[in-house]
Amino acid sequence: MKLRLSLAILAGKITAWVSRFYGHKGSSLPGVVARRIYHGALRDLAAQVGRGVLVISGTNGKTTTTNMIVKILGDAGYKVTSNLEGANLITGVTASLIKDAGIWGKLNCDYAVLEVDEASMPGVLREVNAGVVVLTNFFRDQLDRYWELDKITGIIHDALHKQKQATLILNADDPLVAQFQKTTSVPALFYGLGANDQSARTGAQTRDGKFCPFCGAALDYRFFHYSQLGLYSCPGCEFSRPVPQVEAFEPKVEGGQTRCRLVYDGREVELAVQVQGLYNLYNALAAFSVGLHLGLDSGPALDSLGRYRPVTGRMEVFNYKGKLAYLNLVKNPTGFNEGLATLCAAKGSKDVFIAINDNDADGRDVSWLWDVDFEMLGEDHRLFNSFVCCGLRGEEMAVRLKYAGVPINKVSINANMHQAIKSALAGSAGAAYLFSTYTALWPAQKMIKKLAVEGGAAR
Amino acid sequence: MIRVCHLYPDLLNLYGDRGNIIAFQQRCKWRDIPVHVQSVNRGDKVCFRELDFVFLGGGSDREQILIATDLMKRRDEFAAAIEGGLVVLAICGGYQLLGAYYLNRDGENIPGLGILDFYTRAGERRLVGNVAVEVSLNGVPFKLVGFENHSGQTFLGDIRPLGRVLSGNGNNGRDGLEGVWHKNVFGSYLHGPLLPKNVRLTDYLIGLCLERRGLNKELMLLDDDFENRACEAMLLRLVHRGNKLFC
């Protein structure tokens, strides 16, 4: 058995070297190979993690939350292993542990912080004893793969039910997430965002979870942050937003920075992260809650979050001849809406680049673009200098902008990504915002890096 | 004034189907045709006779059962308005509801409105992917493109299909037919959404509404460059494979 684990690790490592040699990211392939050789590879390695395995799942914010937790734990001096590249299927999770394991089958780390795809939760939790499970939110994502939200929350529920040793870290503001405390009776800690002046601004958005998960009645909302996130209560039963143990107030986005007042344990501190967008505040709240639960000092944890820098395509900043350019991954209506809200809130004029692909990893059905509120761009299009649409479904994107009320003379379609990116970077506006679906993200980032300098946020 | 009704937008709103309403509304607005869109949810009052265009989208199973109960109460009035020329577009789940019944995997028979002559039964596999369909409106053949995602397979009785499948599955993946067409009612499995990039169909529906209002149904031409390119890009992939043709 030990021998098979060693063989699996060795084969996994060789696969990783070979695929890296050929220039592939290859973040899940080593896991595929290792699991072929020894199916128990993940189980055996995860059992060796010293202090505990942390699992992060949900629709949006998984990667950023995972990275923030890794930063906090790493800065606190712990040895951490994680699937930082976002390969979040069971094969990717296996690959991440193999990467840090010795070929004699030993894994020496304090924490494993694992981002796990929603549909892979049952498989991963069967093999891994998670001490902490973080759930960020549930929105519609790649419906041709997951069909319906009901199915996904059902799958997660079944997976969590057996994890009695775990603590759930849950987003109180999302009824689809908050329900899991009751339905699984696993102990939970909640984080959330209090009412603020931006609340309810997006009340017209498609809201997925607006019906009570317990009795089906339409939930009453006192305010919305975005999508179905907000302060809700059910008129039909006793379900309502749980009181968060970690709660943020008065969020402000300024100069590439997002800050808020944070209340926990009767204490009040300030939290500032160097990333734009309300959704990133949620990610930071989740990461902070994890730190608190693990007994870390809050001061250093806040410092770590303040020093956190975004990863590829999470409002990643570049500088093109003095003009700031932000690259943002988009994969579902809620994430895109929040990206657009950030775009609209930023001062000055903008050039916009949007790349939409419809490969398997992007979701083959692009109709979700019609659930994104591009209408907010049409309302005041003077702030926008140009929109260039690119990718396998660039034409579709141009149609969407046209019907959202953006004047067609500001919209162009360019299938050549290099030219399209260049036109956005070199456009006459004060800043450039680049949005891309998953499979267009890496090529886009590569091209931006050739043209522009990395970094340049918040000065 | 064209009176549009979006039925159950809070429940039947999967797969960006609201884009159909956006497209219909914008193409009227760009031609200075006044439009009023009314959203009707469960329990709301609606008078089908006074409407010109009704849109019914698709939802998850749970949501579909919720609205079926509500729609059943309005069934006779809805059916009468349809016979009177009401223009209807029903997509996916909404389309299935217009038929006789839905036979689910457990063999349970869920009654539909029984307005149109067809039935649906759950299939073994889910039919998912891009679709191209050949249709003919006013004797002019053209192609529709969209994306289907359904496990129900629909079989038509004595009723005309919307078109013939060129690529994809359509109603059931077997008989090569897609959608249904009766009087001014159009049912289809095509999301995408359907109307924004299939503007000939959209304009045809607008024309029918104008006619119903007793107005001139000739429409001003619009610049459809983006729409045609979006349609053409998918047709190139599915049908022509290199042989450039406009839809």
Side-chain angles (χ1 to χ4, degrees):
Chain A
M1 179 114 121
K2 258 281 162 31
L3 182 68
R4 292 195 75 175
L5 177 61
S6 289
L7 268 175
I9 291 172
L10 191 62
K13 282 181 182 288
I14 291 172
T15 311
W17 289 326
V18 171
S19 79
R20 227 171 291 140
F21 179 78
Y22 284 103
H24 300 299
K25 285 222 159 285
S27 22
S28 59
L29 194 60
V32 176
V33 172
R35 294 180 67 84
R36 277 274 171 81
I37 293 173
Y38 177 44
H39 196 73
L42 175 60
R43 192 186 298 269
D44 285 8
L45 290 173
Q48 298 179 46
V49 176
R51 288 175 165 264
V53 177
L54 286 60
V55 166
I56 295 89
S57 195
T59 310
N60 286 348
K62 289 188 289 284
T63 304
T64 299
T65 304
T66 300
N67 286 292
M68 284 176 165
I69 295 171
V70 168
K71 173 92 178 136
I72 291 177
L73 290 173
D75 287 356
Y78 291 109
K79 197 159 182 291
V80 183
T81 184
S82 175
N83 50 344
L84 288 172
E85 287 98 354
N88 59 15
L89 306 182
I90 195 162
T91 47
V93 170
T94 308
S96 68
L97 295 189
I98 283 175
K99 185 186 66 197
D100 290 340
I103 54 163
W104 303 114
K106 282 269 169 278
L107 179 67
N108 175 21
C109 73
D110 299 313
Y111 288 104
V113 186
L114 306 174
E115 170 187 340
V116 179
D117 175 80
E118 301 92 287
S120 302
M121 283 290 274
V124 171
L125 290 181
R126 250 196 310 273
E127 300 184 18
V128 166
N129 267 329
V132 171
V133 177
V134 182
L135 296 178
T136 57
N137 47 56
F138 289 107
F139 304 121
R140 286 177 197 182
D141 188 15
Q142 304 188 16
L143 278 167
D144 62 324
R145 212 155 55 110
Y146 290 156
W147 309 340
E148 291 146 18
L149 263 177
D150 285 357
K151 287 211 176 72
I152 275 303
T153 50
I155 284 173
I156 302 256
H157 170 265
D158 294 343
L160 289 180
H161 209 56
K162 296 160 198 141
Q163 300 287 316
K164 300 295 181 202
Q165 79 292 346
T167 298
L168 305 179
I169 309 276
L170 302 178
N171 185 342
D173 298 349
D174 183 350
L176 293 177
V177 168
Q179 62 167 324
F180 286 116
Q181 182 193 31
K182 271 194 178 176
T183 58
T184 62
S185 355
V186 175
L189 189 147
F190 289 98
Y191 61 90
L193 185 57
N196 62 79
D197 42 345
Q198 290 170 30
S199 306
R201 80 199 138 87
T202 47
Q205 280 176 16
T206 314
R207 287 193 294 272
D208 295 303
K210 55 198 158 183
F211 298 97
C212 175
F214 295 97
C215 72
L219 292 172
D220 287 336
Y221 273 86
R222 268 184 49 209
F223 57 81
F224 289 104
H225 294 306
Y226 59 88
S227 202
Q228 81 272 16
L229 306 194
L231 180 60
Y232 53 85
S233 62
C234 176
C237 66
E238 291 183 337
F239 183 57
S240 63
R241 176 198 188 234
V243 179
Q245 284 89 346
V246 176
E247 192 165 19
F249 295 94
E250 295 131 39
K252 284 188 187 66
V253 182
E254 40 194 27
Q257 195 187 58
T258 309
R259 50 201 316 131
C260 69
R261 184 161 65 82
L262 194 63
V263 178
Y264 69 96
D265 271 353
R267 292 168 62 179
E268 203 178 305
V269 290
E270 183 172 309
L271 168 70
V273 284
Q274 306 299 323
V275 274
Q276 290 193 52
L278 208 55
Y279 53 98
N280 278 318
L281 197 57
Y282 271 110
N283 299 331
L285 290 177
F288 183 77
S289 305
V290 169
L292 217 56
H293 171 70
L294 296 177
L296 301 189
D297 288 338
S298 55
L302 289 169
D303 289 345
S304 295
L305 287 172
R307 286 193 306 270
Y308 170 82
R309 290 295 174 272
V311 288
T312 305
R314 272 73 178 184
M315 280 291 169
E316 194 182 3
V317 196
F318 299 88
N319 190 320
Y320 177 81
K321 300 179 179 170
K323 173 176 172 178
L324 294 186
Y326 300 89
L327 176 64
N328 200 26
L329 170 70
V330 288
K331 46 183 187 173
N332 50 41
T334 306
F336 213 147
N337 275 334
E338 280 309 291
L340 293 179
T342 308
L343 167 73
C344 291
K347 291 195 181 78
S349 62
K350 299 116 190 178
D351 290 301
V352 182
F353 161 95
I354 307 178
I356 304 293
N357 275 355
D358 64 350
N359 296 311
D360 282 347
D362 304 293
R364 290 183 299 146
D365 181 5
V366 296
S367 54
W368 63 275
L369 292 174
W370 293 82
D371 283 329
V372 180
D373 288 326
F374 290 103
E375 279 70 16
M376 68 175 113
L377 303 176
E379 278 161 22
D380 194 358
H381 53 78
R382 283 166 307 168
L383 295 169
F384 303 101
N385 183 49
S386 69
F387 293 87
V388 54
C389 305
C390 185
L392 297 169
R393 303 302 290 271
E395 295 87 358
E396 194 85 27
M397 189 59 236
V399 172
R400 179 68 188 99
L401 290 173
K402 176 180 174 181
Y403 282 86
V406 177
I408 51 173
N409 58 10
K410 289 194 178 184
V411 182
S412 61
I413 303 168
N414 194 336
N416 181 321
M417 191 187 275
H418 186 82
Q419 284 176 7
I421 287 177
K422 194 153 188 200
S423 80
L425 293 178
S428 60
Y433 281 77
L434 301 98
F435 298 93
S436 166
T437 59
Y438 193 75
T439 64
L441 185 69
W442 300 103
Q445 191 211 31
K446 217 167 163 180
M447 290 173 197
I448 299 168
K449 276 183 174 169
K450 274 188 194 156
L451 295 164
V453 185
E454 283 174 72
R459 342 167 178 187
Chain B
M1 168 81 82
I2 296 181
R3 293 182 191 281
V4 176
C5 166
H6 189 176
L7 274 180
Y8 313 110
D10 66 336
L11 287 165
L12 300 186
N13 57 359
L14 273 179
Y15 311 110
D17 279 336
R18 70 171 183 168
N20 291 313
I21 294 285
I22 297 174
F24 187 97
Q25 204 172 2
Q26 290 286 55
R27 295 185 71 79
C28 287
K29 195 181 128 200
W30 293 331
R31 293 171 166 124
D32 294 322
I33 302 169
V35 186
H36 177 261
V37 180
Q38 174 192 5
S39 290
V40 171
N41 289 310
R42 277 182 297 166
D44 291 354
K45 271 208 180 114
V46 61
C47 179
F48 288 114
R49 213 163 10 100
E50 290 168 10
L51 294 169
D52 302 306
F53 178 49
V54 168
F55 174 71
L56 194 54
S60 70
D61 294 349
R62 182 187 59 175
E63 288 157 347
Q64 211 137 308
I65 291 165
L66 286 175
I67 73 119
T69 323
D70 189 79
L71 201 52
M72 205 56 108
K73 293 179 204 149
R74 318 170 190 260
R75 191 245 168 228
D76 292 346
E77 200 209 333
F78 191 34
I82 284 173
E83 290 313 304
L86 175 68
V87 184
V88 178
L89 177 66
I91 301 292
C92 201
Y95 163 32
Q96 293 173 350
L97 272 174
L98 298 177
Y101 59 87
Y102 183 94
L103 196 64
N104 74 13
R105 209 157 291 171
D106 307 324
E108 198 183 342
N109 188 321
I110 302 160
L113 295 174
I115 296 176
L116 304 184
D117 183 10
F118 65 80
Y119 70 93
T120 304
R121 65 165 182 245
E124 296 279 295
R125 66 192 171 98
R126 216 174 162 83
L127 307 175
V128 185
N130 289 299
V131 193
V133 180
E134 183 156 67
V135 298
S136 173
L137 297 176
N138 292 330
V140 186
F142 66 98
K143 297 176 182 71
L144 299 176
V145 295
F147 193 94
E148 63 183 337
N149 189 345
H150 53 109
S151 57
Q153 301 185 352
T154 295
F155 296 91
L156 302 183
D158 185 19
I159 196 164
R160 163 166 65 146
L162 174 59
R164 201 170 53 83
V165 176
L166 297 173
S167 175
N169 291 290
N171 282 345
N172 50 49
R174 293 183 215 174
D175 60 18
L177 304 178
E178 159 37 45
V180 70
W181 183 4
H182 167 76
K183 294 216 164 196
N184 292 341
V185 182
F186 299 81
S188 172
Y189 275 114
L190 270 59
H191 299 283
L194 181 61
L195 296 186
K197 62 180 175 291
N198 295 293
V199 292
R200 284 206 197 182
L201 177 61
T202 318
D203 287 354
Y204 186 76
L205 297 178
I206 295 172
L208 289 175
C209 291
L210 291 172
E211 204 172 31
R212 179 171 162 82
R213 284 276 127 198
L215 301 166
N216 178 8
K217 68 173 199 171
E218 290 302 308
L219 292 176
M220 190 181 92
L221 287 178
L222 298 174
D223 171 5
D224 295 328
D225 181 47
F226 287 168
E227 293 89 334
N228 288 336
R229 283 166 74 180
C231 190
E232 189 198 347
M234 189 42 71
L235 284 174
L236 279 172
R237 194 193 291 189
L238 297 179
V239 189
H240 306 310
R241 303 226 157 79
N243 179 14
K244 263 201 165 193
L245 271 179
F246 281 92
C247 40

